[in-house]
């Protein structure tokens, strides 16, 4: 059995992990599984699909996004007061779970919708706003005109747009954003065997983030990332979903395998915990359970597992042994 912690085995592990994630749609939030299926199941048109993508950009929790969508099934008219929706939102506040990274923007939901409605009116439709534009233009629209969308939420939202067949692929992994890109930059360092450059206090390598010629390092990483992704796609695994968006996600989760924070299929397990959380509060999640049953193999469905390991216990296996939880199913 290979030790996938070793630099010489990491590329094989990264590739197989990436393929497994793409094949099963188990990227963060399970959006690659949920979003296309929800759109197809409900026969949404392009405007409804893009509206759901926006709502999920705010919540980053598809269960909550669908509940918002059911209350507002289309972009409201510009200038609408949204009094009824606002009342419902406040009345159901405690059962509307937002992702941890969006919890402080939850209070901005109604205002964000109002600003978005005004913006859509200016363009004429969501499709006109989000089609036939390069990534830089889309990035500027979201960062400069959407309300309460920061760097991470803008990136994630544009990924939701792209996976639904609109927008454009990310063109810049922004390695030079020292704090904002720390996670996937460290993932690239681990992938390339440059552990001395990993900036994380959990790794006792003496790296404090004060890199010599930081810009040169980031330029080198950008070239390496482009070459790696091109090789992955053209010569190995031409799967649907290969993009800089999913590459960034795979780098982030890969990095956290070394620190006992993530493991294969972790996002499927986290999504199941969201279902349990919602159902315990009386929310019907049958559609999400049906999608999981239809698309995920049993070994990726926590609800089918006999073991009772916690997420933390599953994640601890790789740094201790060099072989991950569930590794026997795809390595």
């Amino acid at each position: 059995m290979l030790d996938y912690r070793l630099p010489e085995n990491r590329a094989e592990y990264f590739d197989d992990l990436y393929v497994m994630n793409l094949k099963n749609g188990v990227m963060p939030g399970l959006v690659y599984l949920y979003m296309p299926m929800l759109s197809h199941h409900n026969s949404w048109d392009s405007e409804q699909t893009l509206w759901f993508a926006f709502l999920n950009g705010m919540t980053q929790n598809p269960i909550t996004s669908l509940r918002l969508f059911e209350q507002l099934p289309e972009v409201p008219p510009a200038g609408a007061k949204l009094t009824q929706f606002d009342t419902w939102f406040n009345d159901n506040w405690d059962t509307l779970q937002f992702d941890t990274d969006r919890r402080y923007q939850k209070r901005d939901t109604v205002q964000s919708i109002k600003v978005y409605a005004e913006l859509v009116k200016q363009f004429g439709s969501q499709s006109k706003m989000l089609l036939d534009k390069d990534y830089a233009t889309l990035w500027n629209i979201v960062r400069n005109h959407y309300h309460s969308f920061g760097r991470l939420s803008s990136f994630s939202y544009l990924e939701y747009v792209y996976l639904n067949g609109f927008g454009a692929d990310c063109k810049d992994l922004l390695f030079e954003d020292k704090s904002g890109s720390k996670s996937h930059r460290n993932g690239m360092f681990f992938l390339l065997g440059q552990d001395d450059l990993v900036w994380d206090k959990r790794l006792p390598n003496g790296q404090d983030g004060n890199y010599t010629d930081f810009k040169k390092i980031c330029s080198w990483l950008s070239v390496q990332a482009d070459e790696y992704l091109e090789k992955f796609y053209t010569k190995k695994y031409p799967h649907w979903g290969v993009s800089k968006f999913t590459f960034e996600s795979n780098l982030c989760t890969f990095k956290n395998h070394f620190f006992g924070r993530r493991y294969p299929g972790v996002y499927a397990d986290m999504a199941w915990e969201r279902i349990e959380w919602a159902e315990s509060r009386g929310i019907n999640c049958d559609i999400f359970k049906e999608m999981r049953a239809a698309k995920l193999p049993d070994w990726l469905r926590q609800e089918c597992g006999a073991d009772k390991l916690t997420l933390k216990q599953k994640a601890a296996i790789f740094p201790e042994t060099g072989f991950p939880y569930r590794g026997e199913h795809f390595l």
Side-chain angles (χ1 to χ4, degrees):
M1 186 178 294
L2 291 179
D3 184 341
Y4 290 104
R5 295 169 299 185
L6 300 177
E8 60 267 29
N9 297 328
R10 291 178 190 172
E12 178 183 345
Y13 180 49
F14 183 89
D15 284 0
D16 289 348
L17 177 68
Y18 195 13
V19 169
M20 188 277 291
N21 285 332
L22 291 170
K23 180 180 178 181
N24 295 289
V26 286
M27 289 293 179
L30 254 64
V31 291
Y32 282 82
L33 186 155
Y34 287 159
M35 284 193 170
M37 291 190 72
L38 282 171
S39 182
H40 176 75
H41 175 80
N42 293 296
S43 300
W44 289 342
D45 60 22
S46 59
E47 290 298 295
Q48 291 170 305
T49 298
L50 289 171
W51 174 231
F52 184 84
F54 170 76
L55 294 174
N56 205 67
M58 291 194 301
T59 73
Q60 292 186 17
N61 182 333
I63 296 173
T64 300
S65 300
L66 187 58
R67 294 183 67 201
L68 299 185
F69 184 95
E70 289 169 348
Q71 294 297 314
L72 281 178
E74 60 184 19
V75 182
K81 293 184 178 181
L82 302 182
T83 303
Q84 184 175 344
F85 175 80
D86 195 3
T87 299
W88 173 86
F89 188 81
N90 289 324
D91 287 346
N92 289 275
W93 179 276
D94 291 338
T95 66
L96 294 168
Q97 185 185 41
F98 278 48
D99 185 80
T100 300
D101 290 333
R102 292 290 297 170
R103 64 190 184 280
Y104 296 121
Q105 288 73 41
K106 183 177 180 179
R107 63 182 180 273
D108 297 320
T109 298
V110 175
Q111 182 61 23
S112 295
I113 291 173
K114 290 179 179 179
V115 171
Y116 184 74
E118 292 285 352
L119 192 62
V120 171
K121 180 182 178 182
Q122 293 178 29
F123 282 90
S125 70
Q126 295 169 101
S127 298
K128 290 179 180 178
M129 182 170 69
L130 297 166
L131 276 175
D132 301 322
K133 294 178 176 64
D134 61 24
Y135 183 76
T137 299
L138 293 168
W139 178 259
N140 287 331
I141 290 173
V142 177
R143 292 292 283 123
N144 294 327
H145 299 289
Y146 283 39
H147 182 69
S148 80
F149 275 58
R151 180 193 177 282
L152 178 60
S153 53
S154 297
F155 183 87
S156 297
Y157 161 69
L158 286 173
E159 181 174 14
Y160 306 153
V161 170
Y162 184 64
L163 76 87
N164 280 298
F166 304 90
D169 187 13
C170 168
K171 295 302 180 184
D172 189 354
L173 289 172
L174 300 173
F175 286 120
E176 69 278 6
D177 183 347
K178 199 165 188 178
S179 60
S181 296
K182 185 178 180 181
S183 182
H184 61 275
R185 188 173 59 241
N186 281 339
M188 277 298 299
F189 287 143
F190 272 125
L191 179 59
L192 298 171
Q194 299 290 328
D195 295 22
D196 58 311
L197 296 176
V198 173
W199 174 30
D200 193 301
K201 62 183 180 182
R202 294 170 294 183
L203 185 66
N205 62 352
Q207 181 56 252
D208 60 3
N210 293 316
Y211 296 104
T212 301
D213 206 346
F214 181 63
K215 288 186 177 180
K216 185 176 181 180
I217 290 174
C218 291
S219 295
W220 171 72
L221 281 181
S222 293
V223 172
Q224 293 296 312
D226 286 345
E227 291 180 352
Y228 198 96
L229 194 56
E230 180 67 19
K231 182 180 178 181
F232 180 93
Y233 184 77
T234 60
K235 296 183 179 180
K236 292 186 177 181
Y237 312 108
H239 285 276
W240 174 79
V242 176
S243 69
K244 284 189 175 178
F245 286 120
T246 55
F247 186 60
E248 188 264 1
S249 294
N250 211 63
L251 286 170
C252 290
T253 188
F254 174 73
K255 174 265 299 182
N256 274 316
H257 287 204
F258 291 86
F259 297 121
R261 293 290 304 278
R262 295 289 185 265
Y263 57 88
V266 63
Y267 299 114
D269 293 352
M270 293 169 72
W272 177 250
E273 291 191 347
R274 283 179 169 177
I275 289 173
E276 291 184 314
W277 186 94
E279 288 193 327
S280 71
R281 289 155 176 81
I283 299 165
N284 188 323
C285 293
D286 287 351
I287 183 61
F288 294 97
K289 293 192 288 187
E290 290 168 8
M291 289 188 287
R292 291 172 66 91
K295 290 295 184 179
L296 293 182
D298 286 355
W299 59 269
L300 272 174
R301 296 172 61 205
Q302 183 169 297
E303 60 269 34
C304 297
D307 70 64
K308 299 300 180 182
L309 296 178
T310 65
L311 270 64
K312 186 176 181 179
Q313 289 171 328
K314 295 173 185 178
I317 294 173
F318 181 80
E320 291 176 359
T321 68
F323 194 84
Y325 178 76
R326 293 189 174 118
E328 69 276 10
H329 294 288
F330 68 95
L331 292 172

